[in-house]
Amino acid sequence: MEFQTQYFPHSLYQDEDLLFYEALGSRKLKITTWNPIRMYRAMKEWERRLKGKGNQNYKGGSFGAGGVILFEKQGKPRYTYLEQAGEELPVDDIVAALNAVRG
């Protein structure tokens, strides 16, 4: 997997049955405006953020809305974040949740 070798050299698990996707609500990315100027600006902002990160991987299901689920050792989910199209991940919240799970 390109992602694992280039960005995250740790164990990854592929959810072939899409159980996590279903747990996150099986949501699809939606167009939130039909205003062409807003759509253009949103696309340009999205491109700018991706280029700044050097990540040009557009493979996979581009219209599925994902997210983050953090589990404690016993398997109980302790934190979820539902992807918001065009928004940055709440890194500080995720780090705080990781620290809480670690105890």
Side-chain angles (χ1 to χ4, degrees):
M1 293 182 122
E2 177 186 341
F3 174 78
Q4 185 176 17
T5 58
Q6 292 187 9
Y7 304 103
F8 192 78
H10 306 283
S11 297
L12 292 176
Y13 305 94
Q14 185 170 353
D15 182 21
E16 293 180 9
D17 295 327
L18 301 177
L19 298 175
F20 291 107
Y21 176 72
E22 290 174 13
L24 290 167
S26 302
R27 299 170 314 116
K28 302 284 183 199
L29 296 178
K30 297 176 184 169
I31 295 175
T32 58
T33 182
W34 290 105
N35 180 317
I37 294 170
R38 284 186 179 174
M39 290 173 76
Y40 175 79
R41 286 181 182 159
M43 290 293 293
K44 286 298 182 185
E45 174 63 16
W46 181 67
E47 287 176 5
R48 183 192 65 76
R49 282 202 326 264
L50 287 179
K51 282 183 181 180
K53 294 179 181 183
N55 183 356
Q56 297 298 317
N57 181 3
Y58 301 111
K59 298 175 186 173
S62 59
F63 295 105
V68 175
I69 305 174
L70 298 179
F71 296 88
E72 62 185 24
K73 287 182 181 179
Q74 296 76 22
K76 180 179 177 185
R78 291 284 305 267
Y79 173 86
T80 59
Y81 166 75
L82 301 177
E83 176 184 9
Q84 303 297 316
E87 299 292 324
E88 294 283 341
L89 284 173
V91 175
D92 292 340
D93 294 346
I94 294 170
V95 169
L98 283 168
N99 289 331
V101 168
R102 287 183 185 146

